[in-house]
Amino acid sequence: QVQLVQSGPEVKKPGASVKVSCKASGYAFTNYGITWVRQAPGQGLEWMGWISADYGNTNYAQRVQDRITMTTEKSTSTAYMELRRLRSDDTAVYYCARGAWWDPRDYWGQGTLVTVSS
Amino acid sequence: QSALTQPASVSGSPGQSITISCTGTSSDVGGYNYVSWYQQHPGKAPKLMISDVSNRPSGVSNRFSGSKSGNTASLTISGLQAEDEADYFCTSFTSTNTLVFGGGTKVTVL
């Protein structure tokens, strides 16, 4: 069965970086892209960007494009999302989901809480 | 890209039908048949309920249906059940190769 398992919660200080992982199983990793979405406490969902798992093509949301990098590691079927120069308003649950561009996001990770606090 | 517009809340009694709207522009909802709907229970990850405007993934109840007219997409839940109480989000692919979400609609079963 398809599963996306994300890394554990993180607590970071403002200005630091965080790297969240998303390990895929149950399907051919390079046949699908990965989308990253975040949800601030009590708020809606925000698209952060996506990456193709085969060639690593990316597209990032304008709001974070100068601070974010998405990568994949085909040997371990793992996707990564790194966010730099963290601010308090980056505090959110970060989700990875299978599917990119116009594909439906049909499977989701369990979410990773990133807390940014001094 | 501005968020898609959804009503903040919709409610209904068990057995009734409700419809949630999702309004965008010709650059997103109106321009592509790539509208999806997600259900999210508190503390849980979103679950895909409808893709490509009206396609229901395997395992999703046929009480859920989707449609689109112009720049507005809609999700209808028929035969409302207590387990349907959740937040619902729409998304659309956009002309700038991005994804835009709706603000979310809280569905309450009275």
mmCIF file of all heavy atoms in Angstrom, chain B residues 6-35:
data_model
loop_
_atom_site.group_PDB
_atom_site.id
_atom_site.type_symbol
_atom_site.label_atom_id
_atom_site.label_comp_id
_atom_site.label_asym_id
_atom_site.label_seq_id
_atom_site.Cartn_x
_atom_site.Cartn_y
_atom_site.Cartn_z
ATOM 1 N N GLN B 6 -14.295 30.138 -0.593
ATOM 2 C CA GLN B 6 -15.247 29.152 -0.096
ATOM 3 C C GLN B 6 -16.041 29.770 1.049
ATOM 4 O O GLN B 6 -15.510 30.624 1.781
ATOM 5 C CB GLN B 6 -14.526 27.910 0.462
ATOM 6 C CG GLN B 6 -13.726 27.105 -0.521
ATOM 7 C CD GLN B 6 -13.094 25.894 0.155
ATOM 8 O OE1 GLN B 6 -11.893 25.681 0.061
ATOM 9 N NE2 GLN B 6 -13.919 25.083 0.824
ATOM 10 N N PRO B 7 -17.273 29.303 1.285
ATOM 11 C CA PRO B 7 -17.982 29.769 2.481
ATOM 12 C C PRO B 7 -17.274 29.241 3.715
ATOM 13 O O PRO B 7 -16.726 28.139 3.702
ATOM 14 C CB PRO B 7 -19.376 29.148 2.320
ATOM 15 C CG PRO B 7 -19.172 27.978 1.421
ATOM 16 C CD PRO B 7 -18.051 28.352 0.499
ATOM 17 N N ALA B 8 -17.288 30.032 4.782
ATOM 18 C CA ALA B 8 -16.580 29.626 5.999
ATOM 19 C C ALA B 8 -17.224 28.410 6.638
ATOM 20 O O ALA B 8 -16.525 27.567 7.211
ATOM 21 C CB ALA B 8 -16.543 30.785 6.991
ATOM 22 N N SER B 9 -18.547 28.330 6.551
ATOM 23 C CA SER B 9 -19.231 27.213 7.186
ATOM 24 C C SER B 9 -20.509 26.870 6.434
ATOM 25 O O SER B 9 -21.130 27.727 5.803
ATOM 26 C CB SER B 9 -19.558 27.548 8.639
ATOM 27 O OG SER B 9 -20.436 28.649 8.708
ATOM 28 N N VAL B 10 -20.843 25.590 6.498
ATOM 29 C CA VAL B 10 -22.090 25.068 5.950
ATOM 30 C C VAL B 10 -22.594 24.015 6.928
ATOM 31 O O VAL B 10 -21.788 23.244 7.469
ATOM 32 C CB VAL B 10 -21.885 24.435 4.555
ATOM 33 C CG1 VAL B 10 -23.153 23.737 4.074
ATOM 34 C CG2 VAL B 10 -21.451 25.484 3.535
ATOM 35 N N SER B 11 -23.880 23.986 7.173
ATOM 36 C CA SER B 11 -24.420 22.992 8.085
ATOM 37 C C SER B 11 -25.658 22.328 7.485
ATOM 38 O O SER B 11 -26.313 22.876 6.595
ATOM 39 C CB SER B 11 -24.758 23.630 9.433
ATOM 40 O OG SER B 11 -25.741 24.636 9.266
ATOM 41 N N GLY B 12 -25.954 21.156 8.007
ATOM 42 C CA GLY B 12 -27.128 20.429 7.564
ATOM 43 C C GLY B 12 -27.478 19.334 8.546
ATOM 44 O O GLY B 12 -26.631 18.920 9.350
ATOM 45 N N SER B 13 -28.690 18.853 8.468
ATOM 46 C CA SER B 13 -29.139 17.769 9.331
ATOM 47 C C SER B 13 -28.804 16.431 8.700
ATOM 48 O O SER B 13 -28.622 16.341 7.476
ATOM 49 C CB SER B 13 -30.653 17.873 9.557
ATOM 50 O OG SER B 13 -30.979 19.092 10.178
ATOM 51 N N PRO B 14 -28.707 15.401 9.507
ATOM 52 C CA PRO B 14 -28.447 14.061 8.950
ATOM 53 C C PRO B 14 -29.464 13.703 7.869
ATOM 54 O O PRO B 14 -30.665 13.938 8.022
ATOM 55 C CB PRO B 14 -28.577 13.152 10.170
ATOM 56 C CG PRO B 14 -28.223 14.022 11.317
ATOM 57 C CD PRO B 14 -28.766 15.375 10.981
ATOM 58 N N GLY B 15 -28.947 13.165 6.754
ATOM 59 C CA GLY B 15 -29.800 12.778 5.643
ATOM 60 C C GLY B 15 -29.994 13.855 4.594
ATOM 61 O O GLY B 15 -30.386 13.559 3.461
ATOM 62 N N GLN B 16 -29.730 15.106 4.968
ATOM 63 C CA GLN B 16 -29.878 16.197 4.009
ATOM 64 C C GLN B 16 -28.702 16.245 3.045
ATOM 65 O O GLN B 16 -27.694 15.551 3.223
ATOM 66 C CB GLN B 16 -29.975 17.530 4.747
ATOM 67 C CG GLN B 16 -31.293 17.806 5.429
ATOM 68 C CD GLN B 16 -31.372 19.227 5.982
ATOM 69 O OE1 GLN B 16 -30.352 19.812 6.388
ATOM 70 N NE2 GLN B 16 -32.577 19.783 6.005
ATOM 71 N N SER B 17 -28.846 17.087 2.023
ATOM 72 C CA SER B 17 -27.753 17.348 1.091
ATOM 73 C C SER B 17 -27.250 18.768 1.302
ATOM 74 O O SER B 17 -28.036 19.679 1.576
ATOM 75 C CB SER B 17 -28.223 17.191 -0.358
ATOM 76 O OG SER B 17 -28.534 15.859 -0.660
ATOM 77 N N ILE B 18 -25.946 18.930 1.188
ATOM 78 C CA ILE B 18 -25.357 20.274 1.257
ATOM 79 C C ILE B 18 -24.409 20.444 0.076
ATOM 80 O O ILE B 18 -23.886 19.463 -0.471
ATOM 81 C CB ILE B 18 -24.596 20.523 2.579
ATOM 82 C CG1 ILE B 18 -23.434 19.544 2.725
ATOM 83 C CG2 ILE B 18 -25.533 20.456 3.775
ATOM 84 C CD1 ILE B 18 -22.479 19.888 3.853
ATOM 85 N N THR B 19 -24.183 21.699 -0.282
ATOM 86 C CA THR B 19 -23.265 22.005 -1.381
ATOM 87 C C THR B 19 -22.297 23.091 -0.930
ATOM 88 O O THR B 19 -22.706 24.098 -0.337
ATOM 89 C CB THR B 19 -24.022 22.480 -2.632
ATOM 90 O OG1 THR B 19 -24.844 21.411 -3.106
ATOM 91 C CG2 THR B 19 -23.044 22.873 -3.739
ATOM 92 N N ILE B 20 -21.019 22.866 -1.208
ATOM 93 C CA ILE B 20 -19.966 23.827 -0.892
ATOM 94 C C ILE B 20 -19.445 24.395 -2.207
ATOM 95 O O ILE B 20 -19.083 23.636 -3.116
ATOM 96 C CB ILE B 20 -18.809 23.148 -0.138
ATOM 97 C CG1 ILE B 20 -19.321 22.456 1.132
ATOM 98 C CG2 ILE B 20 -17.736 24.172 0.213
ATOM 99 C CD1 ILE B 20 -18.289 21.526 1.761
ATOM 100 N N SER B 21 -19.389 25.703 -2.292
ATOM 101 C CA SER B 21 -18.897 26.339 -3.512
ATOM 102 C C SER B 21 -17.428 26.732 -3.376
ATOM 103 O O SER B 21 -16.904 26.887 -2.268
ATOM 104 C CB SER B 21 -19.733 27.580 -3.837
ATOM 105 O OG SER B 21 -19.635 28.521 -2.777
ATOM 106 N N CYS B 22 -16.801 26.894 -4.511
ATOM 107 C CA CYS B 22 -15.371 27.234 -4.579
ATOM 108 C C CYS B 22 -15.202 28.122 -5.812
ATOM 109 O O CYS B 22 -15.236 27.636 -6.951
ATOM 110 C CB CYS B 22 -14.569 25.952 -4.690
ATOM 111 S SG CYS B 22 -12.810 26.149 -5.061
ATOM 112 N N THR B 23 -15.022 29.418 -5.577
ATOM 113 C CA THR B 23 -14.992 30.368 -6.690
ATOM 114 C C THR B 23 -13.593 30.893 -6.937
ATOM 115 O O THR B 23 -12.914 31.346 -6.016
ATOM 116 C CB THR B 23 -15.939 31.539 -6.411
ATOM 117 O OG1 THR B 23 -17.273 31.028 -6.234
ATOM 118 C CG2 THR B 23 -15.931 32.529 -7.563
ATOM 119 N N GLY B 24 -13.194 30.817 -8.191
ATOM 120 C CA GLY B 24 -11.883 31.314 -8.594
ATOM 121 C C GLY B 24 -12.001 32.237 -9.784
ATOM 122 O O GLY B 24 -12.934 33.047 -9.855
ATOM 123 N N THR B 25 -11.066 32.095 -10.703
ATOM 124 C CA THR B 25 -11.042 32.948 -11.890
ATOM 125 C C THR B 25 -10.816 32.081 -13.132
ATOM 126 O O THR B 25 -10.647 30.869 -13.032
ATOM 127 C CB THR B 25 -9.902 33.975 -11.791
ATOM 128 O OG1 THR B 25 -8.642 33.280 -11.881
ATOM 129 C CG2 THR B 25 -9.941 34.760 -10.477
ATOM 130 N N SER B 26 -10.747 32.731 -14.268
ATOM 131 C CA SER B 26 -10.482 32.024 -15.510
ATOM 132 C C SER B 26 -9.040 31.524 -15.581
ATOM 133 O O SER B 26 -8.703 30.730 -16.450
ATOM 134 C CB SER B 26 -10.767 32.929 -16.708
ATOM 135 O OG SER B 26 -9.970 34.095 -16.641
ATOM 136 N N SER B 27 -8.196 32.000 -14.650
ATOM 137 C CA SER B 27 -6.797 31.553 -14.605
ATOM 138 C C SER B 27 -6.603 30.305 -13.753
ATOM 139 O O SER B 27 -5.496 29.767 -13.694
ATOM 140 C CB SER B 27 -5.908 32.681 -14.056
ATOM 141 O OG SER B 27 -5.908 33.792 -14.926
ATOM 142 N N ASP B 28 -7.644 29.903 -13.073
ATOM 143 C CA ASP B 28 -7.535 28.667 -12.278
ATOM 144 C C ASP B 28 -8.774 27.797 -12.477
ATOM 145 O O ASP B 28 -8.829 27.014 -13.428
ATOM 146 C CB ASP B 28 -7.252 28.965 -10.795
ATOM 147 C CG ASP B 28 -8.010 30.182 -10.257
ATOM 148 O OD1 ASP B 28 -9.255 30.126 -10.221
ATOM 149 O OD2 ASP B 28 -7.372 31.171 -9.868
ATOM 150 N N VAL B 29 -9.766 27.927 -11.622
ATOM 151 C CA VAL B 29 -10.947 27.054 -11.689
ATOM 152 C C VAL B 29 -11.571 27.053 -13.091
ATOM 153 O O VAL B 29 -11.888 25.988 -13.646
ATOM 154 C CB VAL B 29 -11.989 27.463 -10.636
ATOM 155 C CG1 VAL B 29 -13.270 26.646 -10.801
ATOM 156 C CG2 VAL B 29 -11.429 27.279 -9.223
ATOM 157 N N GLY B 30 -11.773 28.234 -13.633
ATOM 158 C CA GLY B 30 -12.461 28.335 -14.916
ATOM 159 C C GLY B 30 -11.647 27.887 -16.109
ATOM 160 O O GLY B 30 -12.201 27.582 -17.169
ATOM 161 N N GLY B 31 -10.332 27.839 -15.946
ATOM 162 C CA GLY B 31 -9.463 27.538 -17.075
ATOM 163 C C GLY B 31 -9.026 26.091 -17.197
ATOM 164 O O GLY B 31 -8.480 25.688 -18.228
ATOM 165 N N TYR B 32 -9.223 25.330 -16.151
ATOM 166 C CA TYR B 32 -8.737 23.950 -16.130
ATOM 167 C C TYR B 32 -9.733 23.035 -15.426
ATOM 168 O O TYR B 32 -10.419 23.448 -14.493
ATOM 169 C CB TYR B 32 -7.394 23.866 -15.376
ATOM 170 C CG TYR B 32 -6.328 24.786 -15.913
ATOM 171 C CD1 TYR B 32 -6.181 26.069 -15.392
ATOM 172 C CD2 TYR B 32 -5.486 24.382 -16.938
ATOM 173 C CE1 TYR B 32 -5.202 26.928 -15.885
ATOM 174 C CE2 TYR B 32 -4.513 25.237 -17.434
ATOM 175 C CZ TYR B 32 -4.379 26.497 -16.904
ATOM 176 O OH TYR B 32 -3.424 27.349 -17.392
ATOM 177 N N ASN B 33 -9.758 21.790 -15.837
ATOM 178 C CA ASN B 33 -10.574 20.790 -15.131
ATOM 179 C C ASN B 33 -9.724 20.050 -14.114
ATOM 180 O O ASN B 33 -9.752 18.822 -14.011
ATOM 181 C CB ASN B 33 -11.206 19.830 -16.127
ATOM 182 C CG ASN B 33 -12.321 20.478 -16.915
ATOM 183 O OD1 ASN B 33 -13.049 21.330 -16.384
ATOM 184 N ND2 ASN B 33 -12.455 20.121 -18.173
ATOM 185 N N TYR B 34 -8.930 20.812 -13.374
ATOM 186 C CA TYR B 34 -8.028 20.232 -12.371
ATOM 187 C C TYR B 34 -8.394 20.764 -10.989
ATOM 188 O O TYR B 34 -7.536 21.242 -10.241
ATOM 189 C CB TYR B 34 -6.581 20.544 -12.704
ATOM 190 C CG TYR B 34 -6.110 19.932 -14.000
ATOM 191 C CD1 TYR B 34 -5.464 20.700 -14.958
ATOM 192 C CD2 TYR B 34 -6.313 18.577 -14.269
ATOM 193 C CE1 TYR B 34 -5.025 20.143 -16.144
ATOM 194 C CE2 TYR B 34 -5.884 18.015 -15.461
ATOM 195 C CZ TYR B 34 -5.245 18.802 -16.398
ATOM 196 O OH TYR B 34 -4.820 18.245 -17.576
ATOM 197 N N VAL B 35 -9.662 20.645 -10.657
ATOM 198 C CA VAL B 35 -10.140 21.033 -9.336
ATOM 199 C C VAL B 35 -10.266 19.775 -8.484
ATOM 200 O O VAL B 35 -10.817 18.760 -8.934
ATOM 201 C CB VAL B 35 -11.513 21.727 -9.411
ATOM 202 C CG1 VAL B 35 -12.044 22.014 -8.005
ATOM 203 C CG2 VAL B 35 -11.399 23.023 -10.211
#
